[in-house]
């Protein structure tokens, strides 16, 4: 199948009638629907070998060190590197933006963000900084050993971060990623709760680079398209095309933002639900997959000043968490679909990874009765 056939046109999940869950999305159906959250992305596509990039998520427009948001990290499977994770879980807060990039570039990205943060106004006396950087391995399409992410690319991602629509697919930290044997990438989605359930917004962004047996709202897309994990072991012909991963290995970073006023304890609970959304798409969190979910709250009532002597916060009670959980699970699921459906075929480093053929996906969805809700 030609690249043109694979890539024309690319659409989001809802354009295929795929709308997981019961709650409506925000205006952009993106993590930026959480007020104040901004996303910046830099795509590095150089020569025949470099296919990688940086995605930056800024929790609010101010100085993240001076005005900290509560946060928590859930590790679904820890085969990966997540810089800054121990302090996030110890103190329950973020003090920098979040960066996503490729595996062997995490330290370069962390160093560049540290320089950028320390150069900000009112940071001259700071002598400790917990930068937060996640990664997935794009070493198939990208010459990962060249460690091509530069400080300039990191600064550009941070300084160009904006609200509004978020570019998806083969961009930023998703430039060289692979998911379910097809081209993966960056995906995002959001949910707005009814006012009777608090009216809170939950937004998700994923860096999809993992495997498994793809299903879309229960439709067995991976099996029907003859590309899935362990295919060699179960299929008589034993023939996996392209870069399909026979063990479902890979990684995924899931970032969950909300304006619900949550403590780091309840953010840890929220983060753990991200794995439920991931499981709906067909992942089993394989041994070789680094599956991390980072959740944070932007609510002013739970914000923490860096030098505060006491914290006086107003936070959501446990009994009010269930709808927020539901929203996050649904938004994670849809974010993964958006990453896949918006990704384009990419060649690099001597390999080509095809975008999932959306015409075939439509056929499978129709056969299995998947359609958008009324």
């Amino acid at each position: 199948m030609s690249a043109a056939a694979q890539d024309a046109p690319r659409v989001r999940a809802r354009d295929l009638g795929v709308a997981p869950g019961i709650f409506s999305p925000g205006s952009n159906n993106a993590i930026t629907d959480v007020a104040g959250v901004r996303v910046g992305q830099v795509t590095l596509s150089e020569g025949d070998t470099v296919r990688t990039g940086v995605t930056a998520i800024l929790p609010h427009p101010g100085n993240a060190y001076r005005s900290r948001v509560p946060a928590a990290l859930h590790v679904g499977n820890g085969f990966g590197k997540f810089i800054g994770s121990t302090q996030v879980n110890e103190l329950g807060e973020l003090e920098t933006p979040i960066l996503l990039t490729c595996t062997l570039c995490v330290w370069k990205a962390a160093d560049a963000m540290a320089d950028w943060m320390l150069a900000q106004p009112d940071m001259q006396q700071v002598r400790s900084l917990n930068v937060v950087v996640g990664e997935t391995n794009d070493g198939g399409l990208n010459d990962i050993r060249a460690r091509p992410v530069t400080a300039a690319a990191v600064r550009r991602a941070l300084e160009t971060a904006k609200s509004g629509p978020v570019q998806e697919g083969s961009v930023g930290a998703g430039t060289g990623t692979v998911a379910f044997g097809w081209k993966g990438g960056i995906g995002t989605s959001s949910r707005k709760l009814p006012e009777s359930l608090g009216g809170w917004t939950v937004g998700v962004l994923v860096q999809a680079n993992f495997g498994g047996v793809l299903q879309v709202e229960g439709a067995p897309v991976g099996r029907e398209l003859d590309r899935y994990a362990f295919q060699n072991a179960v299929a008589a012909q034993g023939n996996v095309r392209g870069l399909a991963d026979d063990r479902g290995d890979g990684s995924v970073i899931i970032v969950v933002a909300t304006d619900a006023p949550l403590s780091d304890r309840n953010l840890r609970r929220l983060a753990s639900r991200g794995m439920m959304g991931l499981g709906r798409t067909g992942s089993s969190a394989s041994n070789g997959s680094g599956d991390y979910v980072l959740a944070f709250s932007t609510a002013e009532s739970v914000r923490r000043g860096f030098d505060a002597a006491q914290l006086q916060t107003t936070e959501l009670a446990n009994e009010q968490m269930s709808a927020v959980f539901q929203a996050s699970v649904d938004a994670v699921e849809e974010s993964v679909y958006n990453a896949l459906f918006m990704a384009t075929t990419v060649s690099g480093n001597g390999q080509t990874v095809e975008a999932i053929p959306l015409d075939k996906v439509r056929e499978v969805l129709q056969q299995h009765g998947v359609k958008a809700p009324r």
Side-chain angles (χ1 to χ4, degrees), residues 319-368:
E319 288 295 327
Q320 303 303 312
M321 288 298 299
S322 294
V324 181
F325 292 157
Q326 182 71 52
S328 68
V329 172
D330 296 340
V332 168
E333 181 183 7
E334 186 169 350
S335 294
V336 171
Y337 300 149
N338 284 335
L340 273 171
F341 298 162
M342 290 297 290
T344 54
T345 296
V346 172
S347 296
N349 207 30
Q351 301 189 45
T352 295
V353 180
E354 300 168 339
I356 193 168
L358 296 183
D359 57 342
K360 300 296 185 184
V361 173
R362 285 188 181 93
E363 291 176 6
V364 175
L365 296 178
Q366 290 170 359
Q367 290 168 4
H368 290 269

Side-chain angles (χ1 to χ4, degrees), residues 249-264:
D249 289 340
S251 294
V252 62
I253 305 296
I254 301 170
V255 179
V256 182
T258 184
D259 58 4
L262 305 185
S263 64
D264 55 279

Side-chain angles (χ1 to χ4, degrees), residues 69-134:
V69 297
L73 181 78
H74 176 79
V75 181
N77 192 69
F79 199 132
K81 286 145 282 295
F82 205 109
I83 291 179
S85 62
T86 56
Q87 184 172 311
V88 169
N89 274 343
E90 181 69 22
L91 302 184
E93 61 192 27
L94 290 175
E95 58 185 50
T96 72
I98 302 157
L99 291 182
L100 307 180
T101 189
C102 74
T103 298
L104 291 184
C105 293
V106 290
W107 306 279
K108 294 181 70 176
D111 189 57
M113 182 158 64
D115 282 345
W116 182 80
M117 286 288 296
L118 293 173
Q120 300 302 305
D122 200 25
M123 294 288 285
Q124 291 79 10
Q125 303 304 314
V126 173
R127 303 200 305 185
S128 176
L129 190 66
N130 187 51
V131 295
V132 175
V133 186

Side-chain angles (χ1 to χ4, degrees), residues 183-205:
K183 183 66 189 70
I186 297 296
T188 189
S189 185
S190 70
R191 295 294 185 273
K192 181 76 165 63
L193 295 181
E195 292 301 323
S196 62
L197 295 174
W200 313 115
T201 298
V202 178
V204 170
L205 183 143

